[in-house]
Amino acid sequence: MERVLGLGVGPLAAGTVGLLILLKVIQRLRHKQNLQDKVVVITGASSGLGKECARVFHAAGARLILCGRDQKRLQEVVEELRNKSNNGKIQTYTPCTVTFDLSSTSLVSSAAKEILKCHGHVDVLINNAGISYRGNILDTHVSVQRDVMETNYFGPVALTQAILPSMVDRRSGHIVVISSVQGKISIPYRSAYAASKHATQAYFDCLRAEVDRFGLQVSVISPGYIRTNLSINAVTGDGSQYGVMDKTTAKGWDPVDVARAVLNAVCHGQKDVVLAGPLPTAAVYLRTLWPALYFRLMTSRAVKEQRVKEE
C-alpha cells in the first residue's frame, strides 16, 4: 500500500500544479481587457518609455492622448503613428496631444480639462513623465529635492486627482504610474529620486484601496534601469544636467519590453509589477527580511561610488 501511495505522489503533485497553472491562465483570459477604442492618456510621451508606450497602445487600437512639454516632439510622434501601417485587423486612430509642464501643478487642472475634452472621458491614465537625479546629499540644495518631487510625485498626483472624479462617475477607469525599483529600496546618491518614488508608491497604494469600491484599477510599475536618456537628463545637486549615460542605464531594459509589460498590466489588471533583474529583486526582499545586511551593503556601495568619483 505504501509503495502504491508513494508512486502516486509524483503524478498527483504534477497534476495539481498543472491544474493551478490552467486555472491561472483561464483567470487571466477572463480578466483580459480589450483596448480597442479605449481612451488612453500617456504623459512624457515624446521620448523614451512614454514614446514606446504610445507605440504599443496605438497598435492595440487605443485612442491616444499624448502629453508632454514639447508640442513639436509630440507632433513628431503623432506623425510616426499616423503613418504606421497595421495588419488591417485592428482599427487605429490619430492621437490627440495636450502640451503642459507636469511640474507646474497649477497648470495641471486646466490641462486635465483639455484632456477630457478630447473624447469626453479617460479609460486609462498612464503617469509616465519623470526626472531622475544624481548627487551627494551634502551638496544638494533643498530646492533640487523639491523640484524632483514636484515632477515625479506632485505632478502625477495632481493629474490623477483631476481625472479621477470623471472615472468615479463612470465607475470605470485604470490608473497606471511608472515608479521604480527605487520606490521600494533606496541606493546611495539617488536621494531625491528615491524619495519621490517612495512617495509615489505609497500614494498609489492608498489610492488602489480607496477606489476599488468604484470599480477602478490602479497599477504601479516598478522597473529597474531602462535604456533611455533618463540618466543623461537627470539633475545634479545644483540643478544642472548630469549629462552622462550611466553604464547601468546603458545595459538596462529595452524600453520596448517595458512598454509591453505596461500594456500587459493594463490588459490583465496587474496591481504591482516589478521589472528588475535577480539582484535588485533580491534587494527588495532583503530590505524587509534582513534590513541590517541591506544597510551594510548600501553603505559599502556608497563608499565604493565615492572612491570612484575621487579617482
Side-chain angles (χ1 to χ4, degrees):
M1 176 64 74
E2 290 180 357
R3 184 177 181 183
V4 173
L5 290 175
L7 290 173
V9 170
L12 179 61
T16 301
V17 172
L19 180 60
L20 290 173
I21 293 174
L22 179 60
L23 290 173
K24 187 69 173 178
V25 171
I26 292 173
Q27 184 182 35
R28 284 172 65 87
L29 291 174
R30 286 181 61 189
H31 289 88
K32 184 175 182 180
Q33 180 181 176
N34 184 357
L35 290 172
Q36 181 70 62
D37 298 330
K38 297 294 184 181
V39 178
V40 178
V41 177
I42 304 173
T43 66
S46 63
S47 63
L49 178 58
K51 185 175 182 178
E52 294 302 334
C53 283
R55 287 169 174 163
V56 298
F57 278 86
H58 176 264
R63 297 177 183 268
L64 298 180
I65 303 174
L66 306 181
C67 304
R69 294 178 298 177
D70 191 325
Q71 176 59 32
K72 181 180 178 181
R73 293 177 67 186
L74 285 176
Q75 196 57 42
E76 289 173 355
V77 178
V78 170
E79 292 303 320
E80 176 191 323
L81 297 179
R82 178 187 289 159
N83 297 326
K84 199 171 185 64
S85 60
N86 58 51
N87 55 19
K89 296 180 181 179
I90 296 177
Q91 174 68 46
T92 57
Y93 304 93
T94 300
C96 300
T97 62
V98 177
T99 307
F100 67 102
D101 187 347
L102 195 65
S103 66
S104 300
T105 52
S106 61
L107 302 177
V108 172
S109 180
S110 58
K113 292 178 182 178
E114 190 175 347
I115 287 170
L116 289 169
K117 284 181 182 178
C118 292
H119 297 289
H121 70 279
V122 172
D123 292 300
V124 182
L125 169 61
I126 301 177
N127 291 292
N128 164 73
I131 188 170
S132 193
Y133 156 88
R134 303 288 188 276
N136 187 320
I137 290 175
L138 289 172
D139 301 325
T140 300
H141 195 276
V142 70
S143 63
V144 173
Q145 302 276 1
R146 184 178 290 112
D147 289 344
V148 173
M149 192 67 76
E150 285 287 349
T151 299
N152 290 358
Y153 175 70
F154 286 110
V157 166
L159 183 59
T160 295
Q161 294 192 184
I163 298 293
L164 191 60
S166 64
M167 290 185 169
V168 170
D169 288 343
R170 297 177 68 242
R171 293 298 195 272
S172 177
H174 195 142
I175 297 167
V176 180
V177 63
I178 307 301
S179 183
S180 168
V181 169
Q182 292 182 55
K184 297 180 179 293
I185 57 173
S186 300
I187 62 176
Y189 307 111
R190 306 288 193 278
S191 61
Y193 183 74
S196 68
K197 294 302 184 179
H198 271 68
T200 295
Q201 179 80 50
Y203 173 88
F204 284 92
D205 281 353
C206 290
L207 179 66
R208 182 188 300 109
E210 293 182 23
V211 301
D212 180 74
R213 62 195 174 103
F214 300 116
L216 308 188
Q217 298 187 71
V218 176
S219 298
V220 178
I221 314 297
S222 300
Y225 295 105
I226 309 174
R227 292 200 304 271
T228 66
N229 289 332
L230 191 66
S231 70
I232 293 176
N233 296 326
V235 294
T236 62
D238 62 2
S240 60
Q241 188 175 4
Y242 183 59
V244 177
M245 173 67 78
D246 290 335
K247 292 181 180 179
T248 49
T249 301
K251 296 179 181 179
W253 280 67
D254 188 326
V256 175
D257 293 332
V258 179
R260 288 171 180 163
V262 175
L263 179 73
N264 189 62
V266 171
C267 288
H268 296 289
Q270 295 174 315
K271 293 177 172 60
D272 196 78
V273 180
V274 176
L275 301 172
L279 289 178
T281 302
V284 171
Y285 291 102
L286 187 64
R287 172 65 178 81
T288 300
L289 300 174
W290 197 353
L293 176 58
Y294 171 81
F295 297 146
R296 285 201 298 271
L297 291 173
M298 290 302 104
T299 298
S300 176
R301 174 171 178 154
V303 171
K304 290 179 180 178
E305 287 195 26
Q306 184 61 37
R307 188 180 297 131
V308 170
K309 292 177 181 177
E310 291 174 352
E311 291 174 354

mmCIF file of all heavy atoms in Angstrom, residues 229-255:
data_model
loop_
_atom_site.group_PDB
_atom_site.id
_atom_site.type_symbol
_atom_site.label_atom_id
_atom_site.label_comp_id
_atom_site.label_asym_id
_atom_site.label_seq_id
_atom_site.Cartn_x
_atom_site.Cartn_y
_atom_site.Cartn_z
ATOM 1 N N ASN A 229 17.186 58.086 -22.037
ATOM 2 C CA ASN A 229 18.048 59.228 -21.693
ATOM 3 C C ASN A 229 17.791 59.744 -20.279
ATOM 4 O O ASN A 229 18.162 60.873 -19.952
ATOM 5 C CB ASN A 229 17.834 60.365 -22.698
ATOM 6 C CG ASN A 229 18.408 60.042 -24.060
ATOM 7 O OD1 ASN A 229 19.373 59.279 -24.178
ATOM 8 N ND2 ASN A 229 17.817 60.614 -25.100
ATOM 9 N N LEU A 230 17.169 58.931 -19.437
ATOM 10 C CA LEU A 230 16.815 59.387 -18.097
ATOM 11 C C LEU A 230 18.034 59.849 -17.309
ATOM 12 O O LEU A 230 18.002 60.892 -16.653
ATOM 13 C CB LEU A 230 16.089 58.269 -17.327
ATOM 14 C CG LEU A 230 15.426 58.699 -16.012
ATOM 15 C CD1 LEU A 230 14.286 59.671 -16.288
ATOM 16 C CD2 LEU A 230 14.917 57.489 -15.242
ATOM 17 N N SER A 231 19.132 59.088 -17.366
ATOM 18 C CA SER A 231 20.315 59.497 -16.603
ATOM 19 C C SER A 231 20.985 60.725 -17.226
ATOM 20 O O SER A 231 21.503 61.591 -16.512
ATOM 21 C CB SER A 231 21.319 58.339 -16.497
ATOM 22 O OG SER A 231 21.923 58.059 -17.744
ATOM 23 N N ILE A 232 20.964 60.821 -18.545
ATOM 24 C CA ILE A 232 21.547 61.983 -19.221
ATOM 25 C C ILE A 232 20.805 63.257 -18.818
ATOM 26 O O ILE A 232 21.404 64.310 -18.563
ATOM 27 C CB ILE A 232 21.496 61.803 -20.752
ATOM 28 C CG1 ILE A 232 22.417 60.652 -21.183
ATOM 29 C CG2 ILE A 232 21.896 63.095 -21.469
ATOM 30 C CD1 ILE A 232 22.365 60.344 -22.663
ATOM 31 N N ASN A 233 19.484 63.157 -18.739
ATOM 32 C CA ASN A 233 18.667 64.324 -18.407
ATOM 33 C C ASN A 233 18.494 64.542 -16.910
ATOM 34 O O ASN A 233 17.786 65.468 -16.494
ATOM 35 C CB ASN A 233 17.279 64.173 -19.047
ATOM 36 C CG ASN A 233 17.349 64.163 -20.565
ATOM 37 O OD1 ASN A 233 18.189 64.832 -21.162
ATOM 38 N ND2 ASN A 233 16.480 63.391 -21.205
ATOM 39 N N ALA A 234 19.119 63.696 -16.098
ATOM 40 C CA ALA A 234 18.989 63.817 -14.649
ATOM 41 C C ALA A 234 19.571 65.141 -14.166
ATOM 42 O O ALA A 234 20.458 65.717 -14.797
ATOM 43 C CB ALA A 234 19.706 62.650 -13.965
ATOM 44 N N VAL A 235 19.065 65.603 -13.023
ATOM 45 C CA VAL A 235 19.599 66.821 -12.423
ATOM 46 C C VAL A 235 20.599 66.449 -11.335
ATOM 47 O O VAL A 235 20.536 65.362 -10.753
ATOM 48 C CB VAL A 235 18.491 67.703 -11.830
ATOM 49 C CG1 VAL A 235 17.590 68.232 -12.913
ATOM 50 C CG2 VAL A 235 17.676 66.940 -10.773
ATOM 51 N N THR A 236 21.523 67.342 -11.087
ATOM 52 C CA THR A 236 22.527 67.143 -10.032
ATOM 53 C C THR A 236 22.180 68.034 -8.829
ATOM 54 O O THR A 236 21.148 68.717 -8.822
ATOM 55 C CB THR A 236 23.931 67.489 -10.543
ATOM 56 O OG1 THR A 236 23.972 68.876 -10.910
ATOM 57 C CG2 THR A 236 24.278 66.638 -11.760
ATOM 58 N N GLY A 237 23.062 68.038 -7.841
ATOM 59 C CA GLY A 237 22.801 68.765 -6.609
ATOM 60 C C GLY A 237 22.575 70.250 -6.771
ATOM 61 O O GLY A 237 21.864 70.868 -5.970
ATOM 62 N N ASP A 238 23.179 70.850 -7.810
ATOM 63 C CA ASP A 238 22.995 72.291 -8.025
ATOM 64 C C ASP A 238 21.942 72.595 -9.083
ATOM 65 O O ASP A 238 21.761 73.741 -9.483
ATOM 66 C CB ASP A 238 24.325 72.956 -8.400
ATOM 67 C CG ASP A 238 24.897 72.416 -9.706
ATOM 68 O OD1 ASP A 238 24.250 71.554 -10.360
ATOM 69 O OD2 ASP A 238 26.012 72.833 -10.082
ATOM 70 N N GLY A 239 21.257 71.536 -9.555
ATOM 71 C CA GLY A 239 20.192 71.725 -10.536
ATOM 72 C C GLY A 239 20.638 71.631 -11.975
ATOM 73 O O GLY A 239 19.809 71.679 -12.890
ATOM 74 N N SER A 240 21.944 71.480 -12.214
ATOM 75 C CA SER A 240 22.444 71.357 -13.581
ATOM 76 C C SER A 240 22.201 69.945 -14.104
ATOM 77 O O SER A 240 21.912 69.016 -13.347
ATOM 78 C CB SER A 240 23.937 71.678 -13.639
ATOM 79 O OG SER A 240 24.676 70.787 -12.823
ATOM 80 N N GLN A 241 22.339 69.789 -15.429
ATOM 81 C CA GLN A 241 22.100 68.486 -16.048
ATOM 82 C C GLN A 241 23.282 67.553 -15.816
ATOM 83 O O GLN A 241 24.432 67.951 -15.950
ATOM 84 C CB GLN A 241 21.847 68.658 -17.545
ATOM 85 C CG GLN A 241 21.402 67.377 -18.249
ATOM 86 C CD GLN A 241 21.036 67.625 -19.710
ATOM 87 O OE1 GLN A 241 21.190 68.734 -20.225
ATOM 88 N NE2 GLN A 241 20.557 66.602 -20.385
ATOM 89 N N TYR A 242 22.977 66.309 -15.494
ATOM 90 C CA TYR A 242 24.011 65.302 -15.246
ATOM 91 C C TYR A 242 24.776 64.999 -16.530
ATOM 92 O O TYR A 242 26.010 64.956 -16.539
ATOM 93 C CB TYR A 242 23.348 64.047 -14.685
ATOM 94 C CG TYR A 242 24.277 62.927 -14.312
ATOM 95 C CD1 TYR A 242 25.283 63.101 -13.373
ATOM 96 C CD2 TYR A 242 24.127 61.664 -14.885
ATOM 97 C CE1 TYR A 242 26.126 62.055 -13.013
ATOM 98 C CE2 TYR A 242 24.954 60.607 -14.533
ATOM 99 C CZ TYR A 242 25.951 60.811 -13.605
ATOM 100 O OH TYR A 242 26.776 59.769 -13.254
ATOM 101 N N GLY A 243 24.060 64.768 -17.624
ATOM 102 C CA GLY A 243 24.668 64.649 -18.945
ATOM 103 C C GLY A 243 25.488 63.409 -19.202
ATOM 104 O O GLY A 243 26.305 63.396 -20.130
ATOM 105 N N VAL A 244 25.313 62.358 -18.418
ATOM 106 C CA VAL A 244 26.093 61.134 -18.588
ATOM 107 C C VAL A 244 25.169 59.933 -18.702
ATOM 108 O O VAL A 244 24.198 59.814 -17.944
ATOM 109 C CB VAL A 244 27.048 60.919 -17.382
ATOM 110 C CG1 VAL A 244 27.809 59.603 -17.534
ATOM 111 C CG2 VAL A 244 28.018 62.089 -17.254
ATOM 112 N N MET A 245 25.461 59.051 -19.649
ATOM 113 C CA MET A 245 24.737 57.789 -19.760
ATOM 114 C C MET A 245 25.415 56.779 -18.839
ATOM 115 O O MET A 245 26.515 56.312 -19.097
ATOM 116 C CB MET A 245 24.756 57.271 -21.200
ATOM 117 C CG MET A 245 24.155 55.870 -21.368
ATOM 118 S SD MET A 245 22.380 55.779 -21.045
ATOM 119 C CE MET A 245 21.725 56.467 -22.592
ATOM 120 N N ASP A 246 24.775 56.473 -17.724
ATOM 121 C CA ASP A 246 25.354 55.515 -16.782
ATOM 122 C C ASP A 246 25.506 54.145 -17.433
ATOM 123 O O ASP A 246 24.707 53.755 -18.299
ATOM 124 C CB ASP A 246 24.445 55.366 -15.549
ATOM 125 C CG ASP A 246 24.438 56.610 -14.683
ATOM 126 O OD1 ASP A 246 25.419 57.358 -14.727
ATOM 127 O OD2 ASP A 246 23.449 56.805 -13.956
ATOM 128 N N LYS A 247 26.517 53.412 -17.004
ATOM 129 C CA LYS A 247 26.711 52.056 -17.523
ATOM 130 C C LYS A 247 25.515 51.172 -17.207
ATOM 131 O O LYS A 247 25.102 50.343 -18.022
ATOM 132 C CB LYS A 247 27.985 51.451 -16.933
ATOM 133 C CG LYS A 247 29.271 52.115 -17.419
ATOM 134 C CD LYS A 247 30.501 51.444 -16.813
ATOM 135 C CE LYS A 247 31.784 52.106 -17.313
ATOM 136 N NZ LYS A 247 32.994 51.484 -16.727
ATOM 137 N N THR A 248 24.965 51.336 -16.014
ATOM 138 C CA THR A 248 23.806 50.531 -15.627
ATOM 139 C C THR A 248 22.595 50.850 -16.506
ATOM 140 O O THR A 248 21.824 49.966 -16.863
ATOM 141 C CB THR A 248 23.450 50.788 -14.163
ATOM 142 O OG1 THR A 248 23.396 52.206 -13.930
ATOM 143 C CG2 THR A 248 24.485 50.173 -13.232
ATOM 144 N N THR A 249 22.450 52.123 -16.859
ATOM 145 C CA THR A 249 21.347 52.525 -17.731
ATOM 146 C C THR A 249 21.552 51.983 -19.147
ATOM 147 O O THR A 249 20.617 51.492 -19.781
ATOM 148 C CB THR A 249 21.229 54.057 -17.772
ATOM 149 O OG1 THR A 249 21.007 54.547 -16.449
ATOM 150 C CG2 THR A 249 20.084 54.494 -18.667
ATOM 151 N N ALA A 250 22.781 52.071 -19.628
ATOM 152 C CA ALA A 250 23.097 51.599 -20.976
ATOM 153 C C ALA A 250 22.844 50.102 -21.127
ATOM 154 O O ALA A 250 22.538 49.614 -22.223
ATOM 155 C CB ALA A 250 24.549 51.918 -21.316
ATOM 156 N N LYS A 251 22.959 49.371 -20.022
ATOM 157 C CA LYS A 251 22.753 47.925 -20.051
ATOM 158 C C LYS A 251 21.368 47.534 -19.515
ATOM 159 O O LYS A 251 21.110 46.362 -19.249
ATOM 160 C CB LYS A 251 23.828 47.233 -19.217
ATOM 161 C CG LYS A 251 25.243 47.409 -19.768
ATOM 162 C CD LYS A 251 26.263 46.724 -18.872
ATOM 163 C CE LYS A 251 27.676 46.900 -19.399
ATOM 164 N NZ LYS A 251 28.694 46.264 -18.514
ATOM 165 N N GLY A 252 20.502 48.527 -19.366
ATOM 166 C CA GLY A 252 19.202 48.281 -18.758
ATOM 167 C C GLY A 252 18.191 47.643 -19.689
ATOM 168 O O GLY A 252 18.503 47.207 -20.804
ATOM 169 N N TRP A 253 16.963 47.621 -19.247
ATOM 170 C CA TRP A 253 15.866 47.021 -20.003
ATOM 171 C C TRP A 253 15.634 47.778 -21.308
ATOM 172 O O TRP A 253 15.774 49.008 -21.372
ATOM 173 C CB TRP A 253 14.583 47.088 -19.190
ATOM 174 C CG TRP A 253 14.461 46.032 -18.132
ATOM 175 C CD1 TRP A 253 15.220 45.891 -17.005
ATOM 176 C CD2 TRP A 253 13.507 44.966 -18.097
ATOM 177 N NE1 TRP A 253 14.797 44.817 -16.272
ATOM 178 C CE2 TRP A 253 13.742 44.225 -16.910
ATOM 179 C CE3 TRP A 253 12.474 44.568 -18.933
ATOM 180 C CZ2 TRP A 253 12.988 43.113 -16.542
ATOM 181 C CZ3 TRP A 253 11.717 43.460 -18.576
ATOM 182 C CH2 TRP A 253 11.970 42.746 -17.411
ATOM 183 N N ASP A 254 15.258 47.052 -22.330
ATOM 184 C CA ASP A 254 14.816 47.670 -23.574
ATOM 185 C C ASP A 254 13.472 48.333 -23.290
ATOM 186 O O ASP A 254 12.555 47.683 -22.787
ATOM 187 C CB ASP A 254 14.652 46.597 -24.652
ATOM 188 C CG ASP A 254 14.375 47.181 -26.031
ATOM 189 O OD1 ASP A 254 13.702 48.231 -26.108
ATOM 190 O OD2 ASP A 254 14.795 46.572 -27.026
ATOM 191 N N PRO A 255 13.321 49.630 -23.600
ATOM 192 C CA PRO A 255 12.051 50.310 -23.321
ATOM 193 C C PRO A 255 10.854 49.670 -24.021
ATOM 194 O O PRO A 255 9.721 49.775 -23.542
ATOM 195 C CB PRO A 255 12.287 51.745 -23.809
ATOM 196 C CG PRO A 255 13.484 51.669 -24.698
ATOM 197 C CD PRO A 255 14.320 50.548 -24.173
#
